[in-house]
Short mmCIF file of all heavy atoms in Angstrom, two decimals:
data_model
loop_
_atom_site.label_atom_id
_atom_site.label_comp_id
_atom_site.label_asym_id
_atom_site.label_seq_id
_atom_site.Cartn_x
_atom_site.Cartn_y
_atom_site.Cartn_z
N ILE A 273 -5.92 6.35 21.03
CA ILE A 273 -6.09 6.91 22.41
C ILE A 273 -5.46 8.32 22.43
O ILE A 273 -6.01 9.24 23.09
CB ILE A 273 -5.36 6.04 23.39
CG1 ILE A 273 -6.19 4.70 23.54
CG2 ILE A 273 -5.23 6.67 24.76
CD1 ILE A 273 -5.52 3.69 24.42
N ALA A 277 -7.51 11.35 23.43
CA ALA A 277 -7.11 12.11 24.61
C ALA A 277 -7.02 13.63 24.26
O ALA A 277 -7.42 14.47 25.07
CB ALA A 277 -5.81 11.63 25.12
N GLY A 281 -9.26 16.30 25.96
CA GLY A 281 -8.75 17.43 26.72
C GLY A 281 -9.42 18.72 26.24
O GLY A 281 -9.79 19.52 27.08
N THR A 283 -12.25 18.92 24.72
CA THR A 283 -13.69 18.87 25.16
C THR A 283 -13.89 19.18 26.62
O THR A 283 -14.78 19.88 27.01
CB THR A 283 -14.29 17.52 24.79
OG1 THR A 283 -14.07 17.28 23.39
CG2 THR A 283 -15.77 17.40 25.10
N ALA A 291 -19.61 24.88 31.60
CA ALA A 291 -20.28 24.67 32.89
C ALA A 291 -20.21 25.89 33.79
O ALA A 291 -21.18 26.25 34.48
CB ALA A 291 -19.67 23.49 33.61
N GLN A 305 -34.51 35.86 40.91
CA GLN A 305 -35.71 35.25 41.50
C GLN A 305 -35.86 35.53 42.96
O GLN A 305 -36.97 35.95 43.47
CB GLN A 305 -35.69 33.68 41.26
CG GLN A 305 -36.96 33.01 41.77
CD GLN A 305 -36.86 31.49 41.62
OE1 GLN A 305 -35.79 30.98 41.28
NE2 GLN A 305 -38.04 30.82 41.71
N VAL A 314 -41.62 42.15 51.03
CA VAL A 314 -41.53 43.41 51.79
C VAL A 314 -42.58 44.38 51.35
O VAL A 314 -43.04 45.28 52.09
CB VAL A 314 -40.11 44.08 51.61
CG1 VAL A 314 -39.01 43.14 52.18
CG2 VAL A 314 -39.78 44.37 50.14
N THR A 316 -45.59 43.75 50.90
CA THR A 316 -46.85 43.37 51.64
C THR A 316 -46.81 44.00 53.09
O THR A 316 -47.83 43.85 53.74
CB THR A 316 -46.99 41.86 51.77
OG1 THR A 316 -45.89 41.33 52.49
CG2 THR A 316 -47.06 41.24 50.36
N PHE A 338 -28.92 39.44 51.45
CA PHE A 338 -29.91 40.43 50.95
C PHE A 338 -30.00 41.60 51.93
O PHE A 338 -29.67 41.58 53.14
CB PHE A 338 -31.29 39.80 50.78
CG PHE A 338 -31.87 39.21 51.96
CD1 PHE A 338 -32.62 39.98 52.90
CD2 PHE A 338 -31.62 37.86 52.31
CE1 PHE A 338 -33.14 39.40 53.98
CE2 PHE A 338 -32.18 37.35 53.47
CZ PHE A 338 -32.95 38.07 54.31
N ASP A 486 9.51 -24.15 -10.89
CA ASP A 486 9.34 -25.40 -11.66
C ASP A 486 10.05 -25.33 -13.02
O ASP A 486 10.66 -26.28 -13.43
CB ASP A 486 7.84 -25.67 -11.89
CG ASP A 486 7.11 -26.03 -10.62
OD1 ASP A 486 7.81 -26.45 -9.68
OD2 ASP A 486 5.88 -25.96 -10.53
N ALA A 510 37.85 -39.47 -27.01
CA ALA A 510 39.21 -39.24 -26.50
C ALA A 510 39.82 -40.59 -26.16
O ALA A 510 41.04 -40.81 -26.48
CB ALA A 510 39.15 -38.36 -25.32
N GLY A 569 24.08 -6.97 -40.91
CA GLY A 569 25.26 -7.32 -40.14
C GLY A 569 25.16 -8.80 -39.73
O GLY A 569 26.18 -9.55 -39.81
N TYR A 616 18.88 -26.46 -39.93
CA TYR A 616 17.86 -27.42 -40.29
C TYR A 616 17.53 -27.51 -41.79
O TYR A 616 16.75 -28.31 -42.28
CB TYR A 616 16.53 -27.12 -39.55
CG TYR A 616 16.61 -27.54 -38.15
CD1 TYR A 616 17.12 -26.71 -37.15
CD2 TYR A 616 16.13 -28.86 -37.76
CE1 TYR A 616 17.17 -27.11 -35.81
CE2 TYR A 616 16.21 -29.25 -36.48
CZ TYR A 616 16.74 -28.36 -35.48
OH TYR A 616 16.88 -28.82 -34.18
N GLU A 647 2.63 -29.50 -34.30
CA GLU A 647 3.81 -29.57 -33.40
C GLU A 647 4.56 -28.24 -33.25
O GLU A 647 5.55 -28.16 -32.58
CB GLU A 647 4.74 -30.61 -33.92
CG GLU A 647 4.18 -32.05 -34.04
CD GLU A 647 5.12 -33.03 -34.63
OE1 GLU A 647 6.28 -32.68 -34.77
OE2 GLU A 647 4.70 -34.17 -35.00
N LEU A 652 8.65 -23.83 -28.90
CA LEU A 652 9.17 -22.71 -28.05
C LEU A 652 9.65 -23.17 -26.72
O LEU A 652 10.25 -22.40 -25.93
CB LEU A 652 8.08 -21.65 -27.89
CG LEU A 652 7.62 -20.92 -29.12
CD1 LEU A 652 6.51 -19.91 -28.83
CD2 LEU A 652 8.84 -20.20 -29.77
N GLU A 664 22.35 -30.66 -36.53
CA GLU A 664 23.04 -30.24 -35.37
C GLU A 664 22.19 -29.13 -34.64
O GLU A 664 21.62 -28.28 -35.27
CB GLU A 664 24.38 -29.64 -35.75
CG GLU A 664 25.32 -30.68 -36.36
CD GLU A 664 26.66 -30.00 -36.75
OE1 GLU A 664 26.81 -28.82 -36.46
OE2 GLU A 664 27.55 -30.78 -37.17
N LEU A 668 17.50 -24.99 -28.19
CA LEU A 668 17.36 -23.78 -27.42
C LEU A 668 17.08 -22.53 -28.21
O LEU A 668 16.72 -21.49 -27.71
CB LEU A 668 18.52 -23.55 -26.50
CG LEU A 668 18.72 -24.56 -25.35
CD1 LEU A 668 20.03 -24.25 -24.61
CD2 LEU A 668 17.55 -24.44 -24.37
#
Side-chain angles (χ1 to χ4, degrees):
I273 291 177
T283 303
Q305 184 180 13
V314 298
T316 62
F338 58 88
D486 289 342
Y616 284 87
E647 301 177 11
L652 295 178
E664 296 181 359
L668 290 175

